[in-house]
Amino acid sequence: MLGAARRQLGSGPMLGQVLRRLRPAAAAEVARGYSAAAKEMTVRDALNSALDEEMSADPSVFLMGEEVGEYQGAYKISKGLLDKYGPDRVLDTPITEAGFTGIGVGAAYQGLRPVIEFMTFNFSMQAIDHIINSAAKSNYMSAGQISVPIVFRGPNGAAAGVGAQHSQCYAVWFAHVPGLKVLTPYSSEDARGLLKAAIRDPDPVIFLENELLYGESFPVSAEVLDSSFCLPIGKAKIERGGKDVTITAFSKMVGYALQAAEILSKEGISAEVINLRSIRPLDRAAINASVRKTNRLVTVEEGFPQHGIGAEICMSVVEESFEYLDAPVERIAGADVPMPYAANLERMAVPQVDDIVRAAKRACYRAVPMAAAA
């Protein structure tokens, strides 16, 4: 692999070209709409096109993982890439996450830009030492002398009927670690813009996709389809404006939050839905600005409730906007149990649209102005 790294990277000038290519993500407003949408694109195609364009633009980018080549990806995210870029840049691996993740981190040390695919992030546990102790900490421990430009990507969270060992959300696990960036795309725009940003970033990025979203289609504008399109890391998006209650969500739960907001609108409640996009860094400014407008907050996540993303958001609001709250924060999360296999129990273990609707109603109907309560 080191020989392949030398062939890919070349000498000093090549490294310079790679570093010069690290252009910052395009500036974007927190609220980016779909008004200029030109066509629809599935999340699968958005990820595939982002990988293709970044590999075409930068020869130091390569993809490695189980079945990414000959099989064209377990979920067909890497379809066509082996034929286009060859086996030196689209590498099929054995079923050994610890092995190929370590190789990827070593390649990143040498200036390459690996994209490591996990068939599911549940399998990343086999490689967590390389991710946490090597990728996340090396820049700090080397006083900035070692950069680790690597992306770890794959499906995260619950799918359907795959049991407890294949259904866990790892957003909060990785968001706990300094040195990592954690991204959670929802739409095709998110998937395309955030994956490009992740590949170009000089630091290790955890890119948490959702298996059930791969086949979903979303409107995309001509801007999103441009090869230079890139979203800023650490910026949330207001998917729907509102004035009565703020709902924060990420990944698949954004869609549920939007459905809940539509139901609430028919009952006279105007809900603002924030697509977090980035878990670490977290766009605290956007969240607090929304809460200061709506005076109420509902957080939604698929993972376990204890020490969750919702808890962190709640604390941020308490620290920065407590006096603006007119009701207690409502937190929606998965059940605090391993994921059941039975379909009826599985549904009960993950948040549903009705759960979000009820939480928003509680926040709105039991609101007590803090000044009056005092």
Side-chain angles (χ1 to χ4, degrees), residues 248-267:
T248 64
F250 61 93
S251 190
K252 188 172 184 288
M253 291 295 109
V254 176
Y256 282 20
L258 288 170
Q259 292 179 51
E262 183 62 27
I263 294 171
L264 290 165
S265 71
K266 296 175 182 177
E267 301 187 29

Side-chain angles (χ1 to χ4, degrees), residues 210-235:
N210 185 282
E211 177 184 339
L212 298 180
L213 288 176
Y214 285 147
E216 292 290 319
S217 293
F218 294 86
V220 289
S221 65
E223 177 192 5
V224 173
L225 295 174
D226 190 275
S227 61
S228 64
F229 176 72
C230 187
L231 287 172
I233 291 175
K235 292 294 183 181

Side-chain angles (χ1 to χ4, degrees), residues 113-117 148-153 195 198-200 203-207:
R113 293 185 168 274
V115 178
I116 304 300
E117 177 177 312
V148 192
I150 187 171
V151 177
F152 304 100
R153 54 155 295 272
L195 184 54
I199 293 172
R200 297 174 188 182
D203 298 314
V205 178
I206 304 293
F207 197 85

Side-chain angles (χ1 to χ4, degrees), residues 145-331:
Q145 297 180 76
I146 299 175
S147 293
V148 192
I150 187 171
V151 177
F152 304 100
R153 54 155 295 272
N156 170 71
V162 292
Q165 294 173 326
H166 298 76
S167 300
Q168 190 161 326
C169 176
Y170 286 93
V172 72
W173 284 53
F174 292 114
H176 184 67
V177 181
L180 293 177
K181 296 174 182 176
V182 182
L183 306 182
T184 54
Y186 160 62
S187 66
S188 299
E189 176 181 311
D190 293 354
R192 187 169 156 77
L194 291 175
L195 184 54
K196 283 174 164 284
I199 293 172
R200 297 174 188 182
D201 200 87
D203 298 314
V205 178
I206 304 293
F207 197 85
L208 302 174
E209 302 156 12
N210 185 282
E211 177 184 339
L212 298 180
L213 288 176
Y214 285 147
E216 292 290 319
S217 293
F218 294 86
V220 289
S221 65
E223 177 192 5
V224 173
L225 295 174
D226 190 275
S227 61
S228 64
F229 176 72
C230 187
L231 287 172
I233 291 175
K235 292 294 183 181
K237 176 188 176 184
I238 298 177
E239 294 281 353
R240 178 178 178 136
K243 61 183 178 62
D244 295 327
V245 60
T246 297
I247 304 175
T248 64
F250 61 93
S251 190
K252 188 172 184 288
M253 291 295 109
V254 176
Y256 282 20
L258 288 170
Q259 292 179 51
E262 183 62 27
I263 294 171
L264 290 165
S265 71
K266 296 175 182 177
E267 301 187 29
I269 297 175
S270 174
E272 181 151 290
V273 177
I274 298 181
N275 172 5
L276 295 175
R277 281 182 169 171
S278 175
I279 301 300
R280 186 183 182 105
L282 185 65
D283 194 349
R284 300 171 192 273
I287 296 167
N288 278 278
S290 179
V291 170
R292 292 183 182 198
K293 177 177 67 172
T294 67
N295 309 117
R296 302 167 185 88
L297 173 64
V298 177
T299 70
V300 186
E301 63 189 302
E302 195 177 274
F304 302 131
Q306 186 159 324
H307 310 305
I309 304 300
E312 178 66 23
I313 291 173
C314 178
M315 196 62 219
S316 175
V317 170
V318 167
E319 290 174 338
E320 300 180 38
S321 305
F322 179 72
E323 66 273 23
Y324 290 86
L325 287 172
D326 284 348
V329 175
E330 295 283 344
R331 184 164 56 128

Side-chain angles (χ1 to χ4, degrees), residues 96-126:
T96 171
E97 284 78 10
F100 65 77
T101 302
I103 290 172
V105 173
Y109 284 169
Q110 298 299 314
L112 294 180
R113 293 185 168 274
V115 178
I116 304 300
E117 177 177 312
F118 296 119
M119 197 174 292
T120 163
F121 257 93
N122 297 272
F123 300 159
S124 72
M125 295 297 95
Q126 302 293 325

Side-chain angles (χ1 to χ4, degrees), residues 47-125:
L47 293 168
N48 176 268
S49 66
L51 278 169
D52 185 9
E53 289 172 12
E54 293 305 299
M55 291 180 73
S56 177
D58 187 345
S60 70
V61 178
F62 70 93
L63 176 66
M64 181 163 55
E66 297 157 5
E67 298 186 347
V68 299
E70 294 290 345
Y71 192 67
Q72 304 193 72
Y75 302 97
K76 299 299 181 277
I77 304 300
S78 54
K79 184 177 180 179
L81 298 184
L82 176 63
D83 291 339
K84 186 170 183 178
Y85 298 104
D88 283 345
R89 297 185 64 196
V90 182
L91 291 82
D92 277 321
T93 70
I95 304 175
T96 171
E97 284 78 10
F100 65 77
T101 302
I103 290 172
V105 173
Y109 284 169
Q110 298 299 314
L112 294 180
R113 293 185 168 274
V115 178
I116 304 300
E117 177 177 312
F118 296 119
M119 197 174 292
T120 163
F121 257 93
N122 297 272
F123 300 159
S124 72
M125 295 297 95

